[in-house]
Amino acid sequence: MCELLGMSANVPTDICFSFSGFLHRGGGTGPHRDGWGIAFYEEGGYRDFRDPHPSVDSPIARLICDYPIKSNVVISHIRQANVGGVKLANTHPFTREMWGRPWCYAHNGQLSGWERLTLGNYTPVGSTDSEYAYCWLMGELRREFPSPPADPATLWERLHQLCEQLRALGVFNMLLSDGGYLYTFCATKLAHITRCAPFGEAELSDAEMTVNFAEHTTPDDIVSVIATEPLTHNEAWQRMVPGELLVWRDGEIQARYCP
C-alpha cells in the first residue's frame, strides 16, 4: 500500500519537519520504493515535484527538506506499485483543472472493477487505477457542477457520495484539494493532528528529529497534518473512521461526513 501526507494551515507554513519523517518511509523505514511526489498551493499558485525513484534516496526529496516552501495546503504521496509500472506518469499526486483551478489528488489503496467506470471530461495519462478513479471522480463533479456551486456543502455532500462509490470497489483513502479546501477521505487508514497554541515539542517516529513548534509559530497559527500513519510518537493523533470525509480549511475542520 502507498502512504499519504497532507497539510492544511491558516498561515503559509513549511512541511519540512513532517516530510523529513515521511520520506524515510519511501524505501527506508517502509517498503514504498516506487516513487513519490508532493504538491504545494501558495499565494494563489500551484507547484509540484514528482520522482519515480525512492524518496529516501532522492536528491529532490532532500531539496524539499532543505527548502522551506511555505504553503497553506500540501499533498504528498509515496508509492508501492500495485497497478501500473514504476514511471513518472504513474507517480502521484495527479492534477486536473476545474473551474480555472488546479485540483490535486493522491490515493492510497487498490480498486477492482475500476475499468468499468465511465469517464467524462478527463482521461488518464498513466495506467493506474488511482488516476483512472480520479478522472472519473472529477468528471462526475464537473458534470454535476459546471460552475462552482453557491453553497459549497452541496459539492461536499456529492463528493462524499462519490468517494463511497469508490470505496465499494476496494481500498480508497484519498487526499484532494483545489487550493482552498483540503478533502480527506478514509477507507481504512488516515490519522490527523491539529497543532495550535500552546505549542510544544514533537519527535518524529521515522527519523531522529525533534522540533519545538513554540519557537517557530505565533499564538494565532493553526496547522493540521494528515497522514496514513502518525508521523510522531509523542503526540495524540486522531484516527478517521472508514467512510468518513473531512473538509479542511485554514487548518480546521469545516465539515464532516460519515456513512
Side-chain angles (χ1 to χ4, degrees):
M1 289 285 185
C2 308
E3 290 205 20
L4 302 170
L5 170 64
M7 184 192 78
S8 173
N10 69 337
V11 293
T13 304
D14 73 70
I15 200 169
C16 295
F17 174 72
S18 295
F19 187 73
S20 295
F22 187 64
L23 72 86
H24 282 278
R25 299 180 180 179
T29 58
H32 315 87
R33 299 188 56 85
D34 301 323
W36 68 276
I38 189 168
F40 301 88
Y41 288 92
E42 46 185 317
E43 297 181 344
Y46 170 90
R47 60 174 151 179
D48 63 26
F49 302 83
R50 295 184 296 145
D51 187 351
H53 304 293
S55 56
V56 71
D57 300 322
S58 171
I60 304 174
R62 290 197 294 272
L63 166 68
I64 301 302
C65 291
D66 296 336
Y67 179 30
I69 299 173
K70 293 189 179 296
S71 176
N72 290 84
V73 177
V74 176
I75 288 178
S76 186
H77 179 276
I78 49 176
R79 185 175 185 230
Q80 186 177 14
N82 290 306
V83 178
V86 179
K87 58 182 181 179
L88 187 61
N90 291 334
T91 304
H92 305 224
F94 302 110
T95 311
R96 294 293 187 276
E97 178 275 336
M98 185 165 70
W99 310 327
R101 308 174 195 164
W103 287 68
C104 176
Y105 155 100
H107 164 234
N108 160 29
Q110 191 169 357
L111 307 175
S112 60
W114 50 274
E115 305 97 327
R116 294 192 291 273
L117 296 170
T118 301
L119 298 182
N121 295 72
Y122 300 96
T123 303
V125 175
S127 54
T128 65
D129 54 347
S130 300
E131 187 186 15
Y132 192 102
Y134 178 44
C135 289
W136 174 80
L137 177 67
M138 291 294 290
E140 291 296 297
L141 290 177
R142 188 157 202 160
R143 180 177 61 82
E144 297 188 39
F145 302 99
S147 58
D151 180 5
T154 59
L155 173 71
W156 303 344
E157 291 166 3
R158 184 58 180 141
L159 176 61
H160 181 245
Q161 294 168 1
L162 295 171
C163 288
E164 284 284 68
Q165 286 183 244
L166 291 170
R167 183 166 74 107
L169 301 181
V171 178
F172 187 72
N173 302 296
M174 178 206 74
L175 303 182
L176 174 71
S177 181
D178 65 347
Y181 295 97
L182 173 66
Y183 306 96
T184 63
F185 181 80
C186 175
T188 54
K189 288 184 181 180
L190 269 182
H192 58 89
I193 187 167
T194 297
R195 299 182 178 118
C196 55
F199 291 94
E201 284 193 351
E203 300 176 3
L204 289 175
S205 302
D206 299 87
E208 293 185 6
M209 183 179 294
T210 301
V211 65
N212 183 356
F213 287 110
E215 298 175 355
H216 304 279
T217 56
T218 73
D220 297 325
D221 292 359
I222 302 172
V223 181
S224 292
V225 177
I226 302 94
T228 300
E229 291 286 354
L231 293 166
T232 59
H233 58 75
N234 67 326
E235 296 180 292
W237 291 67
Q238 299 182 53
R239 292 192 180 273
M240 294 178 62
V241 300
E244 183 179 34
L245 174 73
L246 296 180
V247 181
W248 302 83
R249 189 179 181 94
D250 296 335
E252 298 184 274
I253 295 173
Q254 306 296 306
R256 184 189 309 265
Y257 296 89
C258 294

